[in-house]
Structure formats: C-alpha cells, structure tokens
Amino acid sequence: MCRSTRHLRTLEPVHVLHDAPLAPLTTFRLGGPAARLVTATTDDEVIAAVREADASGTPLLIIGGGSNLVIGDKGFDGTALRVATKGFTLDGTRLELAAGEVWTDAVARTVEAGLAGVECLAGIPGSAGATPIQNVGAYGQDVSATVTEVVAYDRRAGETVTLTNAQCAFSYRHSLFKEHPERYVVLRVRFELEDAGGFSAPIRYAETARALGVEAGDRVPLERARETVLKLRAGKGMVLDPEDHDTWSAGSFFTNPILTAEQYADFLTRVAGRLGPDVTPPAFPAGEDGAVKTSAAWLIDRAGFTKGYGSGPARISTKHTLALTNRGEATTEDLLALAREVVAGVRDAFGITLVNEPVMVGTGL
C-alpha cells in the first residue's frame, strides 16, 4: 500500500445545504433529508469535508450516483457528502477516473477510444467511485478484472492511500471498501483496459452471446457489444429513465446466493418437493469446496413473486423480478415491507435467505 501524506488547509465546500432532501439524489427517489449536504468537486474538497466531519464526530454519508442507496424515511442526522469530482484520463490502455465521474458515460468513452474491458458494464447507473466498492459486474464482466489501483482517503490513518487490486480484496459484489465502509473514501479508480483492434473482450455471458448471435468466448465490435448490453438492460428496466417507474429502483435488489455443497443439496430437495423432480434451478460454480451460485431472480419468481407483484406504491418491476421499484408515491418503509415479504417467501419456499445488495442508511431489513 503506497501512501502520500498531505496537510490540507480547511476548504470551503462548493455548496452546503441544511435540512437538504436526499431522495432526489437516489435512483429510488426515496428517503428523508440530511441535516447537512455538502457537494465537493475536487479531491481536496472531499478530503476536507471528511476530515471536518471526523474531527467533530459528525456522522458522514458518502453519496455518488445514489444508485445503490436505500435511505430511511427519517433521513440522515449528519453530513451527507455528495462526491461530484470530474476527471477522465486515458494514457494508452490505462484509464484513471475521478470518483464522481458518471460510470455509464465513462464506459461510452472507453468504447469510443477502441478499448475493451468494461463495455459489458454499459448502462449501469452510478458513479465511478462506487464501482470498486461493490465490485460492480454484469453480463460476464466485473470491474475487479480491470481495476489496477484505487486511490482513497483512509479515515483511520488520516491520509491518502493507493491500494493495488490484490489489496482491494475483491470477491463477488464485495471488496475491502465494502468490508470497512467507515474507513475508506474512494477518490480515484485506475484501470488497465485492452486494445483488441476495436473488438470487445471475449463474450462470457450466455444471454449476451445469444443476443449477439455468437458463441461464448467470441469477440464482437466494441460498439455492438455495448449497444446489445444497453438493449438487454433497458428490456429489464435497468437503464435509468425518469418516465419509467420500473427504473425507479436500485437495479438488482438482492445478490445471487452462494451455497455450500450441503446447502445446495438441501436446496435441490426443496426444489423437487415444490416444483417437481424434473425442475433444475440455475447453478454456477462459485469457488472451492463445491460452492454453487444460484439465481436470486429465479428464486423470487418460483416463490410466487412474479413481475409486477404488489398492489401498493412499491412493487416488483414489471420487467425484472430482481428489481423492487417505487411507483411514484412510495416511502422507504413501503419498499422495505415488500423486500421483507420477498425474503420471507423465498426462505419459506427454498430455505435460502436473500441478502440485499443496496446499502441501507438509517433503516434495514
């Protein structure tokens, strides 16, 4: 871990609001206000705001694109720091993004530059700084495959640090940053992309390959890969559209469960008892010791929670069972009541407890 110590003067934040609405800063459009909202547009301003909060003992909430946040109806009694930094630097195949860069725009620019590695992550809402925290992934790609370093402010050490890919401890939708959410504030993310002569990385996801009409492992023109993924995501309500309530969500609300060999055997027994012996659930190898990953969307659907499920202001998306949505008048508690119903139903049906993917602030399942 490389460190660079900096003695910063106290900076006036770009913008400060009190009793500030947070719902408009989230893709769910839910949640109460923050006691104080600071918008920072440079790394120094981010660090200064964090140091000020830590020095005064004020609770701190970091907000990027707001695409992975569920904020309680009472809001946040502290300082919400909106990271709005900008910076897109491309040097050959090396890319550096400021944490506040809009992720889907950055993906589009890498495709325009003819570089492969993140093209199947097109359309994912949120900021670049959030991608290593969650180890964002979709359609056969994860950012952990291309991230080389993450520059972050270490609140415990009181200094800026640079962590290598290995030090980030990436795993499925997890990282060092998610493991220690109160310690690190991501400032910049560095990637190593691939110049494949205008072609994509090998297509690894079966649905993407089918949509492209190619075999798994084939490469296709970069823009074609990106456009195909965008169409697939849009068909599931996973591309932001203010007019489409199916996109008033956090995308996938639950992670795909990873089961031990013993848990998977019990799961198969339950599936056979509920759906019949000829039904085979989705299953993918998930590391050592026979662990298996299955599909949360499949579990939700087979437990009886189909597309559009619900009668209140929070419902399952009409396009994808894995997305819980705000139909326009929901509260956070409406959303969580639906989430709890789904969790209980899947547990009763299959003995598996789903885990939420979005970060909960001032509330929980």
Side-chain angles (χ1 to χ4, degrees):
M1 183 186 297
C2 301
R3 292 184 170 88
S4 62
T5 304
R6 306 172 70 177
H7 300 285
L8 299 175
R9 60 186 176 87
T10 301
L11 298 174
E12 284 298 320
V14 170
H15 196 215
V16 179
L17 293 174
H18 297 275
D19 195 28
L22 294 180
L25 301 182
T26 74
T27 53
F28 264 124
R29 295 168 171 82
L30 294 176
R36 183 169 177 259
L37 173 65
V38 176
T39 298
T41 59
T42 70
D43 290 353
D44 282 353
E45 288 167 357
V46 171
I47 294 170
V50 173
R51 285 182 170 173
E52 179 184 4
D54 289 348
S56 62
T58 303
L60 182 67
L61 170 64
I62 308 296
I63 299 179
S67 62
N68 202 44
L69 276 180
V70 177
I71 298 173
D73 291 318
K74 293 183 179 180
F76 184 70
D77 188 17
T79 294
L81 172 58
R82 180 170 172 260
V83 179
T85 53
K86 296 297 180 184
F88 179 104
T89 304
L90 198 56
D91 180 10
T93 55
R94 296 178 182 177
L95 171 67
E96 179 177 288
L97 296 177
E101 282 287 331
V102 176
W103 173 253
T104 194
D105 293 347
V107 171
R109 292 178 69 177
T110 66
V111 169
E112 290 172 4
L115 297 177
V118 294
E119 62 279 0
C120 290
L121 303 179
I124 294 177
S127 64
T131 60
I133 297 172
Q134 190 73 5
N135 186 16
V136 164
Y139 296 100
Q141 288 182 345
D142 297 293
V143 293
S144 58
T146 50
V147 168
T148 57
E149 293 179 332
V150 175
V151 180
Y153 178 67
D154 183 341
R155 297 167 68 182
R156 183 185 300 173
E159 60 189 11
T160 302
V161 298
T162 299
L163 296 102
T164 65
N165 181 290
Q167 290 169 330
C168 291
F170 290 121
S171 59
Y172 174 64
R173 302 296 170 269
H174 201 72
S175 69
L176 175 73
F177 313 105
K178 193 172 182 180
E179 184 72 22
H180 302 283
E182 303 298 322
R183 179 169 180 179
Y184 297 101
V185 179
V186 175
L187 301 173
R188 300 194 164 261
V189 189
R190 295 169 180 155
F191 303 82
E192 179 64 40
L193 303 178
E194 178 188 7
D195 184 349
F199 282 83
S200 69
I203 301 299
R204 305 202 180 280
Y205 198 68
E207 183 183 11
T208 316
R210 285 195 300 270
L212 287 163
V214 301
E215 297 295 324
D218 287 350
R219 295 177 184 261
V220 299
L222 274 165
E223 187 56 37
R224 186 178 168 211
R226 175 178 171 272
E227 289 179 353
T228 298
V229 166
L230 287 172
K231 288 178 181 177
L232 288 171
R233 291 186 64 85
K236 300 174 183 178
M238 298 290 187
V239 176
L240 294 182
D241 179 352
E243 302 302 318
D244 182 359
H245 285 287
D246 278 334
T247 74
W248 290 32
S249 76
S252 300
F253 195 87
F254 301 103
T255 58
N256 290 322
I258 296 178
L259 310 175
T260 65
E262 183 178 354
Q263 290 170 332
Y264 183 61
D266 178 67
F267 171 49
L268 290 179
T269 299
R270 287 174 177 265
V271 169
R274 182 181 178 89
L275 304 175
D278 297 329
V279 175
T280 302
F284 310 93
E288 300 176 356
D289 302 323
V292 174
K293 180 168 68 176
T294 192
S295 165
W298 188 94
L299 292 169
I300 292 166
D301 182 73
R302 298 311 190 279
F305 303 100
T306 54
K307 295 173 184 176
Y309 178 89
S311 57
R315 304 179 195 175
I316 291 178
S317 166
T318 66
K319 300 181 179 72
H320 199 305
T321 54
L322 200 49
L324 307 188
T325 67
N326 170 12
R327 307 316 292 185
E329 300 295 331
T331 65
T332 300
E333 193 50 41
D334 291 329
L335 175 79
L336 295 182
L338 175 62
R340 293 178 190 122
E341 182 182 1
V342 171
V343 170
V346 169
R347 184 190 300 118
D348 290 344
F350 300 112
I352 294 173
T353 300
L354 294 176
V355 176
N356 56 282
E357 187 166 328
V359 176
M360 303 283 179
V361 177
T363 190
L365 289 182

